[in-house]
Amino acid sequence: MGRVGELARLTDALARPPAVLLVEGEAGSGKSRLVAEAVRALDERSGNGTTGNGTPTPPGDTAPRRPVLLGRCHPLREPEPFGPVVDALRDAAALLPPPAELPPSTGALRLVLPDLAAQLPAAPPDGGTLLSARRLLAQGVRALLTALDAPVLVVEDLQWADDATLDLLVRLARDLPPRLALVVTYRPEDLPPGAPAPGAAFRPAPARTGGHGAGAGHGAVGAPVRLERLEPLDEREVAALARSVLGPAATPELARVLYERSQGLPLAVEEDLRTLTERSPATRTPADRIGAERTGGSGGSSTSGASSTAGGRTATGDLAAVLAAAEVPRGLRDAVTERLARLGADGAAVVAAAAVLGVPADEALLTAVAGLDAEAGADGLTEALHAAVLRETAPDRYAFRSPSARQVAQGQVAGPRRRVLHRRAVAALGTREPRPLARIAEHTLAMGDRPAWQDLAQAAADQAAALGDPGGARRMLRGLLDEPDLDPRRRGRAALALARLAADDVDPAASVQVLSGMVADPRLPVADRGEIRLALGFLMAVHSGNRAGFDRIRESLEELEERPVRAARAMVAIAMDERDGAGRRSGEWLARAEGLLAANPDEDVSAAVRATTLTFQARSADPAVWDRLDELPRDSERPEVMRQTTRALYNTGEIAIELGYDRRSANLLEESRRLARLTGIPYLECYSRLALIRLDMLAGRWDLVEPRFARLGAEFDDLAMAGAERSLLFGRLAAGRGRLALAREEFEIAARFGQRESQVTVALRAAAGLGGLQLLEGDTAGAAGTVGPALATARQADAWARTAELLPVAVEALLATGGRAEAGEVTEEATESLTDRGAPAVTASLHLARGLLLDADGDPEAAEAFTRARDHWQDIGRPYEAARADERIAAALAARDRVRAAERMAAAERVYLELGATTDTARCRKLRRDLDLGGIGSPGRRGYGKRLSPRERQVAELLAQGTGNQDIAQALFLSPRTVEHHVANVLAKLGTGRAGTAQALALADAEDAAGEGGE
């Protein structure tokens, strides 16, 4: 994972000896693994399944076809001269020709290779000097390697090589045997201070042009030299590695935790993944999955893929908890400990200071906390940077490479010493202006001075709120309220302050827990308890998607009698509930709020009334809402007024997607995103960006969905709507790409959220997704059972304007189960409810629904209804929906207008291919064959040799995603036996097992691309 390009280049260079290959990377970056994989790939390219002597390779055996001689340098006080080269040559006994066929110079190796003495010629005279002995030895090594059959000499960990070994390898590289590939690995951070990188020695001047692409040069005798630097994996690559091991359980949230702990170091990621598979039943996989990471096999999903436990995201949370409680990965811990051990006193002092400070710090602060003078501090910091313990994160800001590295270093600072460092940190930070009270409070608490910390925490919260950092203020207040011996008056003041800051909380779970405990405190004044209960209800209903929060808000009304403005705000919130008939009373609640405001004017709550009214207008598809949005204030100095403007823009923009005003929606959501960022409302920024990602998918930009979700997840990971929207979109992606089991899981997660959410939109969309999947799988009864309750929900909430996704699925499911009359009634009811309303998407869906009804009756007008649906979808800008309508048109016209039917089917198929909609493409092609509509430019059957055919390519891509045979059969509309045949061909052509399909496919693509570039 993450090394496809490097692997292809390295394999290519090994196949073209002579070559010198330098592989550079920090400990745990995968240097040895990369070299082993390159040798294995070289064997498959040249021998593909046979050992060096021509016998079949047993399953799992990676015996090389070309001789590979491996030697390692070791961090010894007095390393043995020539040690790694001698170790490598010792394994050459079975490869040597008879002594008479060896050059006389190989006799010089008798002294260092006593076990091979009988297979070597007599030793030549040494000349009597150390210099001449080294020269003879170098000549003997070169002669011996020349006599072997195209060997690969690998020397690992060159940073620990002695001078004699370095001299020998440089001499060898400058006069390389014609069929030898010399591979050297090393850690740049462990080179001796001031030592140049090995590449300088291996690239003698003058250089000549040529080589094997970027990074290649030629030595004086023409041997190409390639340097491959292995950088840490990025977050996307860590996520891919996690998916290959954990399957669907590897959500972006979990991948982000993996990345943060490892900072992309492959060894650390691998060890964390092993921890997860060992400790969590949710990710239990075959034993060889993680083991393959060590032995050269690629981690990958099993036939069925790893599945999360019931509850979906809950299982992911459990995995994250397992990881949070786990120790630092051993490989990373050992690497950090090794680097720390080589630091001098000043370097160790600076690193200890950095460990205690915990955040990027400047040189002056590190020096002060370390207790050093300026010169010693600079020297210590330089040493820590050279040893790759610390890194410069910004100009004059230094920190550890990863949180895990800091954890290791902090563990090596004894308790008494840590307290001294914390005391110095308090003193040093106290001299800065403005005083960073939150950081001072943190160090004060670490010293054990809890009374002083309580004073500082309250002051730090006030400072953070005044500086426009409500998140920091909330964190300090939550910490303060966790204190068991906090003074009751301070506790009440802190709880009320937290409640007033809770509206924009991006970590609602933490605040919900704290506020839930506070509302039970009888010592609180009644009105304060009401405000806290109101804030708790907001967090539950708005952020956590739990409509039980509305019960808390209703309970707060009685406690807020003496604070009518806050009571009015509670009424506005209650009006937003549209479940169980509550939506019918929304107007009453708004009227009551306006009555209270008439007697107690308040600009902030009036802004909330205005935003909620606009939301209701958009929900009902009232065309007048769009002009009223222009009246919203965009430049108020009141933060709450701006928050309500941003909320109104987001709500109406998100509803506009349901209505089918995609271009208008994009403008509203971009504005709400911008205002949310400017005014510091992170949850509204998150929701706006979520809706914009949905617009990307609807517009056919499927390839943008996953990376944009990953970036968003790195910033916002605790908002319920983010998880629900992710499941809805990823479910659609998975269904389109043939991963039907994953699609079902995602839709079921979204459906569970929809059941407890106060708004009905998610429930309607989840039912549409799950019902459509059930129809695809042939479970018509299940589909009818899914859409029935959703239709009842839409009817009860008068939400027909938001049923664009649901209506066609519902009508198709009802028709398939004999419910022709009910399907007609639903279509008519939705049509009547939208009279004088503006909802282009539902209009398109109704045309499609009418087409389905007409088609079921055998009416030729069905094609015209489908055509109207297609035209509407094209006007809206949704290519996938337009293609589905084109497919319907083709089927309806096939019996009476074959030319037009073939055109429409070809148009649909082209869109599916562009989108990467594997399942839809396969269904379209099957339907085209069934209706005998011909192909779309098919060149006829051809032979593909060792390359994958288009069908095999589809199968390979599904295998790479962990899709099982049954799902592949359903996705591609093939029989299980045909799928088994294709799977066998794919694995044979790629030379791998199911678990290695993803990596083998990526490598094959890289080789194909390199071949095309060469042509």
Side-chain angles (χ1 to χ4, degrees), residues 246 248-249 282-283 306-313 315-316 319 745 749:
L246 303 180
T283 59
S307 62
S308 60
T309 59
R313 298 288 166 251
T316 301
L319 294 182
E745 179 186 339
I749 290 169

Side-chain angles (χ1 to χ4, degrees), residues 643-720:
R643 194 175 84 86
Q644 292 301 331
T645 290
T646 308
R647 170 176 164 251
L649 291 169
Y650 162 71
N651 284 350
T652 53
E654 194 249 354
I655 295 169
I657 301 177
E658 304 301 327
L659 301 180
Y661 295 111
D662 290 9
R663 297 175 187 84
R664 175 176 283 152
S665 171
N667 293 332
L668 292 170
L669 292 168
E670 282 291 355
E671 187 177 9
S672 67
R673 180 199 61 76
R674 180 179 58 82
L675 285 179
R677 173 158 291 194
L678 287 175
T679 53
I681 313 172
Y683 88 91
L684 283 175
E685 180 190 354
C686 173
Y687 287 170
S688 298
R689 287 167 60 185
L690 279 171
L692 287 167
I693 293 173
R694 183 183 175 197
L695 282 175
D696 279 329
M697 181 165 180
L698 292 173
R701 296 184 285 270
W702 287 18
D703 57 321
L704 299 180
V705 173
E706 290 171 308
R708 288 189 174 176
F709 252 109
R711 286 197 294 273
L712 190 62
E715 300 176 53
F716 310 96
D717 60 354
D718 290 317
L719 294 174

